[in-house]
Amino acid sequence: MNYGVILNVLGGLLRFLAAIMLVPLFVALYYGDSLYPFLAAIIITGLTGILLSYYYKATDEWKAREGFAIVAFGWLAAAISGSIPFMVDGFSPINAIFESMSGFTTTGATVLVDIEAHSRSILFWRSMIQWIGGMGIIMLFIAILPKLGVAGRQLFRAETPGPTEDKIKPRIRETAKILWLVYVFISMLEVIALLLAKMSLYDAVTHTFTTMACGGFSPYSQSIAAFNSPLIEGIITLFMFISGANFALHYRTLYTNRQSLLKDDEFKFYLLVTVIATLLLTFSLWSDMGETVLTAFRYAVFQVVSIITTTGFATADFNMWTDSAKIVLLAVMFIGGCAGSTSGGIKVVRFLLLLKYAQRALFKSIHPRAVKPIKLNNKTVPDDVMQAIVSFVVIYFMIFAISTGLLSLMGIDIISSITSSIATLGNIGPGFGLVGPMANFAAIPFVGKIVLIANMWIGRLEVFTVIVMLTPEFWKR
């Protein structure tokens, strides 16, 4: 393990984050808010980065282990440095780190009791870190920093969500730049759409940040329900759904093949699951709660898209809905969006391939000598990829079970324990019970917040990037 290169790259990342903090500093200056939270964060983060880069020299000799360590500790360092403005603003250290980790990992779980009581610049920073974390801090770092060169491939593989690597260009840096440009382009479209829907510029930008990142932070305690606008809900629903799809496919649809999305097996399954869940939830709200069909559909489509994309916005307090409605939402909590999107969760492609795997197992029980490969987009999926998917799902549910058990031992009711665990591990945000969509995570005990911070970190980095560091072999020279 080359510790010097890890610390050198982390130093560069911290200097990069310090530069990004100039944006909320100017926002604070514009609105007349206190500049101290961001000045302190810029100085501490920048100086730490300069010292690390000065004392530890870079090298081109990178291995997979260094890539995993840089990505894992890079996200941890980002969450800690991003928490400094919150601490200066009066947050306790654990609450500040929780809010920052929730932001960068695009989880959207919050400890804020009265959101509107905080300054506009702090709430802007809270939304902005979700947008940065959505496409990936390391991905942006790769796109901007040319000296990473070939070593950027290790970082790309460690951070990119999904079971397969989806490169657009042969060079990783070019792929990262294209993905970020598509991300920025679609973000601009959403800002324009929300402005046309009569949102203020501040609200349009902050909600675009958190929609595109599938993050869910809002400057309002009532989330999107605060606007009570079907038009705004429709725009945000559309862009949440877009953000839950593979951004490499968005690029291909825009620039190479207009049919790329519609021909993709994962996207078609993603659309199918969303439609079925929306219809089931619409029926539940109409039959069990007496809503009109149009009102039931309006609430259903927004909540389903918000949960399956792990955004976490809400237009209704679904904590008060019937059990049948909650089951639909709980089911899509475990699925998540597409690989290569900004959403969290297990990912649609893994569920699709597991279904194909189960189908093949049933077929081979009848025809044991038959050869039946598993295919995705007319390409055979290698057995090692299937083994990795099965391992991922097993470890994912083990972490979910352990964190649920730990929270329940702290006196938290079982519904809140289950949903807060999956909401943080899947980077979803709200759950049921104590952590419902109109509530927050402030009442979770200190140790419980540490467990959930770990969940957010592990979930955002697709489990293996963090868990592999717990093996003794990882640290051997």
Side-chain angles (χ1 to χ4, degrees), residues 79-157:
I80 292 170
S81 63
S83 70
I84 297 171
F86 297 126
M87 290 187 203
V88 178
D89 196 51
F91 287 52
S92 68
I94 189 65
N95 281 349
I97 294 172
F98 185 99
E99 199 75 11
S100 181
M101 181 65 83
S102 180
F104 277 113
T105 59
T106 73
T107 303
T110 184
V111 291
L112 299 188
V113 177
D114 185 1
I115 294 174
E116 288 88 345
H118 295 271
S119 69
R120 287 191 162 216
S121 56
I122 285 291
L123 296 179
F124 181 90
W125 172 241
R126 183 171 169 263
S127 296
M128 183 181 167
I129 59 177
Q130 287 206 321
W131 189 75
I132 296 167
M135 187 52 68
I137 306 166
I138 307 297
M139 188 83 79
L140 181 57
F141 192 49
I142 293 169
I144 291 175
L145 197 66
K147 73 175 185 178
L148 288 177
V150 177
R153 185 179 300 277
Q154 302 294 346
L155 303 184
F156 183 85
R157 287 176 177 170

Side-chain angles (χ1 to χ4, degrees), residues 316-394:
D317 188 359
F318 53 75
N319 201 31
M320 307 301 294
W321 288 356
T322 61
D323 289 343
S324 60
K326 290 179 182 178
I327 287 171
V328 175
L329 293 180
L330 185 62
V332 295
M333 277 184 184
F334 282 94
I335 298 173
C338 299
S341 69
T342 58
S343 62
I346 292 176
K347 298 291 187 301
V348 172
V349 68
R350 289 193 178 97
F351 273 95
L352 177 58
L353 290 174
L354 285 174
L355 286 174
K356 290 175 178 282
Y357 186 75
Q359 184 186 31
R360 185 179 71 172
L362 290 172
F363 178 83
K364 293 197 75 171
S365 67
I366 302 170
H367 306 283
R369 295 188 180 182
V371 177
K372 186 177 175 62
I374 296 172
K375 292 190 174 183
L376 183 71
N377 296 323
N378 296 318
K379 294 179 181 179
T380 299
V381 179
D383 286 340
D384 60 336
V385 172
M386 288 307 307
Q387 290 169 7
I389 290 172
V390 172
S391 299
F392 173 91
V393 173
V394 169

Side-chain angles (χ1 to χ4, degrees), residues 246 249 259-269 338 376-377:
N246 191 323
L249 286 177
Q259 302 297 316
S260 292
L261 272 174
L262 298 178
K263 289 181 178 179
D264 184 72
D265 289 347
E266 183 188 19
F267 181 79
K268 288 187 285 188
F269 191 65
C338 299
L376 183 71
N377 296 323

Side-chain angles (χ1 to χ4, degrees), residues 235-291:
I235 292 168
I236 289 176
T237 300
L238 172 63
F239 282 95
M240 284 192 296
F241 187 77
I242 290 171
S243 301
N246 191 323
F247 273 80
L249 286 177
H250 290 323
Y251 169 78
R252 294 190 179 103
T253 301
L254 288 170
Y255 295 106
T256 59
N257 184 353
R258 303 293 185 202
Q259 302 297 316
S260 292
L261 272 174
L262 298 178
K263 289 181 178 179
D264 184 72
D265 289 347
E266 183 188 19
F267 181 79
K268 288 187 285 188
F269 191 65
Y270 168 57
L271 178 61
L272 178 65
V273 171
T274 302
V275 170
I276 291 173
T278 299
L279 292 176
L280 287 173
L281 188 54
T282 300
F283 179 77
S284 177
L285 295 178
W286 170 70
S287 63
D288 298 339
M289 298 185 65
E291 300 284 0

Side-chain angles (χ1 to χ4, degrees), residues 3-19:
Y3 298 105
V5 72
I6 294 170
L7 293 170
N8 177 271
V9 176
L10 288 180
L13 179 61
L14 289 174
R15 287 185 286 118
F16 175 65
L17 288 171

